[in-house]
Amino acid sequence: MPELAGLTLSAARDALLRGTITAEALTADCLNAIAVRDGRLNAFVAVDAEAALAEARARDRARAAGAAAGPLFGTPVAIKDIIDVRGLPTRCQSAVSDDKPAAEDAPVVARLRAAGAVIIGKTALHEFATGGPSFDLPWPPARNPWNPDHHPGGSSSGSGVAVAARMVPAALGTDTAGSVRHPATACGIVGFKPGHGTVTKAGVFPLSWSLDAVGPLARTASDAARLHAAVRDPGTRFDLRSALVPALLHGCRLGVFDGFAKGADAETAAAFDAVLDRFRASGATLVPLEVPPLDVFAGCGRMILQAESHAIHRADLSARPQDFGRRGRQRLMAGATIEAADYVDAQRLRTALTRQMRQALADVAAALCPSSLVPPCRLDDPVAIAATYDAQARLPFNVTGLPALALPMGLTAGGLPLGFQLVGAPGSEARLFSIAVAWERDAPALPPPPL
Amino acid sequence: MSAPSAGPAGDDRGGAPATPSLDAADARALEAAAAAQRTFARTHLRVLPPGLPPAFRFDPDA
């Protein structure tokens, strides 16, 4: 069975720098893990084994020749198939897209390579990052490694599955309404949506220009921080060294979005209460935060997302609707009935919500709320699938453009992952990671899924 | 047009054929979305003060 593929990014990097493993061996083991496990999990839509091994050998040769090792030296990373990777088509899980290979890497991919990463393949998603898991597309939906009959979250489904199932140490996804944090939570790993304007979206097929973000998925907060440090825009504020130092939780003032936990099922509510108890036991001071109800953020975000995504796809929706899957088509059509003034008003409401959220966060180091309000549902339950995209507290942070980090918080009695979020004011990315690193040091880690 | 369905894990490589054009289910979904949009606009959008500016955030590099 693959073993090196199970290393965290940080552990793999340490072993690579010590010379106890090579980038080629690590990449080969990840490719082996994909070959062994992905037949029933469907995380990948494209794996370029030869190119990945060639890239890994080039890293090893450069290192042997005395070149400095980049911060992601020799570590395989998977890319959501909505982000351009040179030489591979960007299919967005849709028959509507074409199979022309991308001529260039998206800047985030180029930055990963410049940091020493090995790009191993493209991962499954919901069609154009919306709709939900679908069986009427050219590729099957990814399945949850904790139970393949259950939803792995989305839309960055394959990225979450690939990391959780120990096929790769880290992946990139995109997050418009929670699409990095949802699969992170459903698969029991870490997912990060950075603040607006900190990571370029060039070379990424858009779902909603004003809500989209590019973020990492990894098995630890430290690993996610390393990936974010590599892909963030030059000139943005992010001190990786301070992000990796565990925050002093004693005396740390943390807000709690109590209102966002309403509607959580019993197991999620109990797990979130246990998170709060653990932070209190670590000496943190928890204070309730007052912001508008979750459904106001959700309604605002939904209207913006529907309007912008419809604008992107309306020509194809009109000319070739049959080429979309049903779930994607219905989601993308929804923007057809929005009045222009209502879209503008939704952006005006966004201004008010952003001001209120920033004001609420002004006197705390960070704030806490659940990620999903229900555990991962079954893939063959269309009612539960439809409901799961409303049963979440992630969209407020897309609407307000704030950084949000999803972390695991245990398993249900049925063995499915649950998760919570750490969120903060603009520019608080490093502080969020530092708090998360402290949390991970003290909290019980999830075991690997039953692979 | 039949609704897409999930089979057991491991038998879903290849995908099902693409569905034909819009149908009654699509029309119902569109109407449900429109109703939700109208309700939200009435209760939360058309009551905003005129001095509140929109929060457009477009990335010039995207």
Side-chain angles (χ1 to χ4, degrees):
Chain A
M1 289 295 288
E3 293 179 359
L4 300 182
L7 295 174
T8 63
L9 187 152
S10 301
R13 181 177 177 275
D14 288 347
L16 286 159
L17 292 179
R18 284 197 309 271
T20 55
I21 63 173
T22 63
E24 182 181 6
L26 176 59
T27 301
D29 203 57
C30 288
L31 291 168
N32 184 30
I34 294 167
V36 169
R37 296 173 186 149
D38 205 34
R40 68 184 194 123
L41 295 178
N42 309 332
F44 282 87
V45 296
V47 176
D48 194 345
E50 285 187 21
L53 286 168
E55 190 165 32
R57 289 186 200 110
R59 300 273 182 266
D60 289 329
R61 280 197 302 273
R63 178 80 171 141
L72 299 177
F73 166 64
T75 51
V77 177
I79 308 293
K80 182 178 183 177
D81 193 22
I82 199 167
I83 303 172
D84 284 348
V85 171
R86 69 166 185 255
L88 294 174
T90 305
R91 296 303 307 267
C92 304
Q93 201 88 359
S94 181
V96 175
S97 62
D98 66 46
D99 58 4
K100 183 181 170 190
E104 302 288 341
D105 285 335
V108 288
V109 175
R111 289 171 189 172
L112 289 175
R113 291 194 207 267
V118 172
I119 306 304
I120 203 163
K122 308 289 294 284
T123 53
L125 62 153
H126 300 343
E127 186 175 28
F128 289 113
T130 191
S134 299
F135 290 83
D136 55 355
L137 301 175
W139 299 269
R143 291 177 174 274
N144 196 313
W146 294 86
N147 183 333
D149 291 329
H150 284 253
H151 192 358
S155 64
S156 307
S157 314
S159 290
V161 173
V163 173
R166 274 65 176 166
M167 300 183 205
V168 284
L172 275 190
T174 57
D175 191 316
T176 304
S179 286
V180 162
R181 292 162 287 155
H182 186 199
T185 293
C187 294
I189 59 172
V190 175
F192 181 58
K193 185 203 80 68
H196 274 322
T198 60
V199 180
T200 179
K201 294 173 278 185
V204 181
F205 195 91
L207 173 60
S208 164
W209 295 286
S210 73
L211 293 167
D212 293 344
V214 178
L217 299 98
R219 290 196 288 275
T220 68
S222 302
D223 287 359
R226 290 182 192 280
L227 225 64
H228 175 66
V231 301
R232 73 190 172 93
D233 288 354
T236 53
R237 188 174 57 178
F238 186 73
D239 181 355
L240 178 62
R241 274 182 294 186
S242 71
L244 299 179
V245 174
L248 181 63
L249 295 180
H250 188 81
C252 184
R253 191 172 158 86
L254 297 175
V256 182
F257 293 115
D258 293 316
F260 289 178
K262 287 178 184 165
D265 83 308
E267 286 189 293
T268 303
F272 184 61
D273 284 345
V275 169
L276 300 183
D277 288 343
R278 186 171 287 277
F279 273 112
R280 280 192 203 94
S282 298
T285 301
L286 303 187
V287 294
L289 299 182
E290 292 289 331
V291 292
L294 189 53
D295 63 349
V296 179
F297 287 95
C300 177
R302 193 179 300 120
M303 188 162 288
I304 294 167
L305 195 163
Q306 288 173 344
E308 295 184 5
S309 61
H310 185 75
I312 291 163
H313 291 283
R314 63 178 167 175
D316 283 328
L317 287 167
S318 175
R320 47 189 297 204
Q322 73 281 1
D323 289 341
F324 290 85
R326 178 189 290 276
R327 285 192 170 122
R329 182 173 66 236
Q330 291 185 351
R331 288 279 180 140
L332 294 169
M333 282 193 319
T337 52
I338 294 174
E339 292 183 22
D342 285 339
Y343 170 70
V344 174
D345 277 347
Q347 292 283 9
R348 296 173 65 227
L349 175 59
R350 186 179 190 178
T351 298
L353 294 173
T354 302
R355 288 174 181 170
Q356 291 171 79
M357 184 69 87
R358 289 187 183 194
Q359 190 171 5
L361 291 166
D363 295 326
V364 294
L368 302 159
C369 65
S371 178
S372 294
L373 301 180
V374 293
C377 63
R378 289 184 61 88
L379 280 172
D380 61 359
D381 184 343
V383 174
I385 291 284
T388 200
Y389 293 94
D390 291 329
Q392 50 107 339
R394 294 177 285 265
L395 190 46
F397 310 108
N398 300 88
V399 169
T400 55
L402 298 173
L405 181 62
L407 298 160
M409 61 174 186
L411 300 172
T412 66
L416 293 165
L418 302 167
F420 72 101
Q421 295 178 93
L422 264 172
V423 302
S428 66
E429 279 89 349
R431 190 191 314 144
L432 296 183
F433 280 113
S434 175
I435 294 169
V437 169
W439 160 264
E440 285 181 339
R441 180 193 58 195
D442 299 338
L446 285 188
L451 299 171
Chain B
M1 177 164 68
S2 60
S5 60
D11 73 345
D12 45 14
R13 283 274 174 202
T19 52
S21 62
L22 304 187
D23 63 6
D26 287 340
R28 284 195 301 273
L30 190 57
E31 178 47 40
Q37 291 156 3
R38 286 193 299 269
T39 300
F40 189 77
R42 188 176 65 248
T43 55
H44 291 93
L45 299 182
R46 295 171 191 175
V47 296
L48 293 170
L52 189 65
F56 290 118
R57 291 175 175 275
F58 292 112
D59 180 353
D61 294 330

